[in-house]
Amino acid sequence: MQEANIDITLKPADSRKLPARFTPLVFAFYMSAIMAFLMSLIIVAANSGIADHYLAQVAHAYSIAMPSAFFCILLVRPLVMLLVKHTVKN
C-alpha cells in the first residue's frame, strides 16, 4: 500500500483574508462581539451581582446582545461615519 502525498504547506496570510468590500461587515462583527461581551459582563454584575451563576447569566445576556449589537452597528455606521467626517479635519 502506498502512502498518499499530502501537501500541508501554509498559504500566505493575505490569501486567507476577506476582500476589502467586506470591511463594514467585519468591523460590525468584531465591534459587536467585543462590546456586547463587555456590556454583558458589566450589566449582569450591576443587576445580579457576581454570584454562583454569573458566567451562565453573562452567556445568556451575550447570546441576546451580540446579534442585536451587530445589526445596530450596521444601521448606525453610516451616521457615525458622517458625524466623524464633520467633526475631524481632513
Side-chain angles (χ1 to χ4, degrees):
M1 182 179 232
Q2 291 182 346
E3 291 184 31
N5 290 334
I6 299 173
D7 184 17
I8 58 169
T9 57
L10 296 175
K11 295 180 181 180
D14 283 347
S15 68
R16 295 184 302 236
K17 290 186 176 181
L18 295 171
R21 70 179 183 269
F22 292 110
T23 298
L25 289 174
V26 173
F27 174 84
F29 175 78
Y30 287 135
M31 178 64 83
S32 63
I34 293 166
M35 290 304 297
F37 181 68
L38 293 174
M39 295 305 296
S40 295
L41 287 170
I42 293 166
I43 292 169
V44 169
N47 286 336
S48 306
I50 300 176
D52 293 337
H53 301 290
Y54 174 70
L55 291 179
Q57 290 175 317
V58 168
H60 176 70
Y62 181 77
S63 71
I64 297 167
M66 198 288 190
S68 303
F70 178 74
F71 289 112
C72 288
I73 290 171
L74 287 177
L75 288 174
V76 301
R77 185 180 182 275
L79 173 62
V80 172
M81 296 300 290
L82 182 66
L83 292 171
V84 169
K85 181 181 175 183
H86 290 297
T87 306
V88 177
K89 288 183 182 180
N90 287 341

